[in-house]
Structures are given as structure tokens and as C-alpha cells.
Amino acid sequence: MNRTVHKTLNLETAAIYLAWISMISWLLMSGKYQIFIRQSFWALMIWAIAILTLFFFSIIRRVSIHNNPVATSATFIRLGTVIVPIFYILMAQEKSLGSYTFEMRSTMHGLQKSQSIREAQGTSAETSNAETRLTAQDFQNLQYAVKGATPLPSDGRVTILQIMENIDNWKGKTVIAEGMVYRDDKVPAGHIVVYRFLMTCCVADASPLSMLVETDNTDQFKEDQWVRVEGVLSLRKAEGLDTPHIKADRITPINPPEDNYLYPSFY
Amino acid sequence: MSQDLLKPDNGVSPPAGTSSNGIQLKTIIELAFIIFALAPIIHFRNNPAITAFSLSFSAIVLEALPFLLLGSLIGGLIEVYIPNDRLGAWFGKGKKRTVFLAAGIGLIFPVCECAIVPIIKRLIDKGVPLSSAIAFLLGGPIVNPIVFGSTIVAYRMILDVAVIRLVVGYLIAVFIGLVAGHLLEKRGGLLKDVIITEELNCQCSSCHEKGSIDHKPRFADALTHGASDFMDMFRYLIFGAFVAAMIQNIVKRDAFIILSVNPGISILLMMTLAAIMSLCSEADAFVASSFQFSLPLSSQLAFMVLGPMFDLKLLFMSLGIFRKRAVILIYGMTILVVFIIMMLFQILMGWAFS
């Protein structure tokens, strides 16, 4: 009888390994892993499948060996914990980060506030950041700055990241950029925010990159709707900070791109 | 430190899964976790906060999984292919200078924080002194060429930040390794049930013939050990990722920035952020660099130095090896030392640029 119980435990564990192997294989083959981690990390998925498979066979091998531990309800509960992420992955695989995360992770409002506090205290950001000797004003336009300017593509199509990287180079020129719409009462009247997330490794580290878009038709865009914006790029003050600004000639609703995220070009 | 560090919190009683004395508190907590974790999927699946949480939680687990698997596999290989006490002899029990070596081993054996915990477990089991193991636990994920390279790139080829990060990380790992190792080696830092579970569950020829010199280690046995370690650690990774993702989606980053006007508070908040975000040590420099024009360098370094040494997922995973008191001692000291060093750094930089 014990032997039957032992086999059940090992088969249960093997089933969990199999579930994870199937889940990751499916994420890899469908390309849906990109919803969670960086596109170029496909090798990590193969690596995980390979080791999980080895472990799976080692568990199967144990089914025929004596001295297995006795399975109890506690064991099954422990094993149940391990499948919780599978349910979350299945639930999240059709979704993407949106304005909720933009609000949670955007630091622009905080930067403006902290600058105001410093000014009220009589200490400039420059003093507080003595070792960097840079001001919070520089944050938005220099955040992902790369030395050296790249020529504007002939069709003007750029990403928000490219705008951030070369804003001085492209100021005053007509650009075409895509992103999601964000609206709230902090956004200046007659404007919407168009944003995308910059991902280094995974969704957990994704940070929003945003620009202000001036338009007469702010009401016609829904939050998190994907749009293509065409207009002249400039720098404007928003909440006291220099922010990329596009005076839109045209805003067109578009389908979400295949890959929602932008990636640092140097990594 | 009281003597009851010696008393296993749950090590005396048989591990869950082998107990016949009813359901343990740990099991009840795990059951509660499953119910608590699955309830939002059923009731609030279209809520934007739950969506954001699901994505973050899944992403942390998926990104950490390959590294945890690799660490478990390496741990299994160490268990089977390295003879008992060989590592203990190499590291020389009681010889404090090996702590200096252990803290820098990541330079030739790069390993991230997700992979390191199962490796540490096996190294201790093989007789590596606790002080050296702790130094490797803390130093491995930061004193590491990949982390060094990613920091250089994130800070746009400015070498200084990467060098400071590596040197400070190394020194802290050595210091904590020496002090915590000294305190814990006297009292026993390992959870007993890790060892008991291992003894009960293992059926491999390598372990059954531990006394034998002639046994032939087998790859299959290494896999058995690796699979066992993985299952143990994976649960802790899941708990850590769950809590990290939950806090990430409850606390606004803006709040951190607003409160960061004072450098001391700023350092503390960035350390808190590092613990909450539970980022991979190879990626955290990119997040830290996004604060470089808004927060002092000391705060950014606090984020980058503490993150690989301590975060929520690492905390939960460490609870799978060490007693609670040992975990509190190791990470409590780490947090304190990182804070003190970064405050000193802030003061020194203030003088240098005044």
C-alpha cells in the first residue's frame, strides 16, 4: 500500500514538472514569453525547459525506487504552491501593462515635487546631487541619453526611446511616434500623454517613457488606446520639468504592435 | 544572540510531508497562500491592478526560474561529484582568509542571486565553513563580471560607478561573512529540517554510500538532488515574487522620489525599493541609472549594492536554508552596513564637491 502512495507522490511531482515544461514550451513557441520577459531572452526559456526535462526524468526514475517519502495532504499543498504562477501566466498572457502601471511607476510628478521641496528648503537639486552635479531638470531628456546624434530616419518614424536619446538633435523636426494614451487631471488642458514602457529584462523592471501631445481632440482618445502621432517635436515644461512635446498634426488610432515594449539599445 | 538559535524552529519535528502529527502551521500558511493567491484570478481578473500584478509576478518567476534551475543543477552536481569534506578541506575550516576568496569567487564563477541559494545549501552540506558560504551568498551576485559589465553600460561607460559597486559589495560580503559566520558557526545556522528532509527523501547511491570511497557518482543522482533542491527553493521564490509584485503594484514610485529629498531618507528608500522590486542583479543597474539625475549617487549605489544581497525573493529562499534568527542576523547586518557605508559615502562626496 505504501508503495502505491509513494508512486502517487512522485507521479504528482512529475506532473508538476510536466506542467511547467508544457507552460514554458507553449510560451516559447507562441512567442508569448515576450509579454513577460525581454524578447531576446528566448534562450533562457530553452535553458529552463532543458533542465526541467532532466529533473522530470529524474523524478520518473524515482517512481520505481523504494524508500520514497509518504505523501500527505501537506505534501500536496506544498506542490500546489508551485503551480500558482501557472494560473497567473495563463490569466496574464492576453494582457499588457497599461495606465495603471504608468501611474504607479512614473516618477515625473515626484521629481517635480521633490524639486519644489528642495527649493522651499533653499537647497537646489544641484547641491543635493553634488556628486552628479546635475539637476532634476535634466532627467527626462537625458535619462537614456547616448552620446552622438543619429540622423532622423527619412520617414520621420522614431520611437519614444529614440526621441529621449537624441532629443536635441530632433527638436523642431517632424517626427512620427507610437504609444499608448494616458489622460488625467494633471495633464495640461489640450494635451494627452503618449507613453511606452522601456524594459531591460522583464515586466517588473519596465519603466514608462512619455511625451506630451498637443491636440484639439483630447476627448476622442481612450486611455491605453494605441495611437500614431505625427507632428513637430519640441521641449516643454510639464510640472516644472522639461518634457518632450509634440504638436500633433495628425493622431491615428492603430493596432497594438507585436511587441509592446521598447528596449535599451545598448543591452 | 541567545542560545535558542540552536533550537530549530521546525527542525526537530519531522518535515511536512512526512509528519503524522497533523497539519503544521507552515502547511496552513501555504494553504492560505494558495487560496489568497488564486482568489483574485477568479474574482478580479479584469481589474487593472490585478493585471499589473499578474504580469509582474509572472515575469519575476519566469525570469528567475532558469537561474534557480541552473543553481539547483550545479548544487546537485556538487553534492554527487565533489567528495564529502573536500571543499571543507580546500576552504580550511577556521581559516578566515578563505572568506576573502569566497566573497570574490563570483568573478570567475558568475552566479546571480536566484541561482546562489541552492548552491550555498550544497556547499555548506559539503563542509564549506559558514563564514565563507555567507561571503559567497552575499558577494557572488554582485562581485561578478556580468553585473560589473551591465553597470558600466547602464551608466554610459562611466567606470567609477561600476568599480565602487563591485568594491563596496566585496567588502560588505567579507565583513558580514566574517562576523555573521563567526556568530552562527558557534550556534548552528542551518535549518535542521533541510538536512532531515534530504536524508529521508534521498535514494541515490551517492548519499547512501557516503562512507564509501569507492562509490561511483552518477549524473542521475545529481539530477535527483537538483530536482529536490529546486522544488524546495521554488516555493520560496514564488512567495518572494508574490510579495514583491504585490508591493510594487501598491506603492507608487513617485512616493519614493517625493520622500527622497533628504539624502539619508533617500538611501533608506532606495534600499527599500531594491528589496521590494527583487530585480535580477544583471538588470538593476538600468533601473538605478534612471534615478541618476534625481537622486544622489549614494542612493543609487545603495539600491545597486543591497539589491543583489537582499530582496524579498532572496529572503524567502534563504528561509529554506537558514533558521529565522540566522536570516535576521545576516540580512539585518547587511542592511545596516549598506546604510552606514552609503551615508559615509554621501558625506564624503558632499565634502569633495563642496
Side-chain angles (χ1 to χ4, degrees), chain A residues 81-101:
Chain A
T81 309
V82 178
I83 56 170
V84 165
I86 291 181
F87 291 105
Y88 274 93
I89 292 168
L90 287 172
M91 185 185 88
Q93 48 94 16
E94 292 293 343
K95 310 201 170 175
S96 61
L97 295 183
S99 51
Y100 178 81
T101 310

Side-chain angles (χ1 to χ4, degrees), chain B residues 47-64:
Chain B
N47 182 305
I50 297 297
T51 299
F53 165 77
S54 310
L55 286 161
S56 297
F57 171 54
S58 307
I60 296 172
V61 171
L62 280 176
E63 200 201 2

Side-chain angles (χ1 to χ4, degrees), chain A residues 63-77:
Chain A
V63 172
S64 59
I65 299 177
H66 61 281
N67 271 348
N68 286 292
V70 180
T72 64
S73 55
T75 314
F76 286 104
I77 289 168

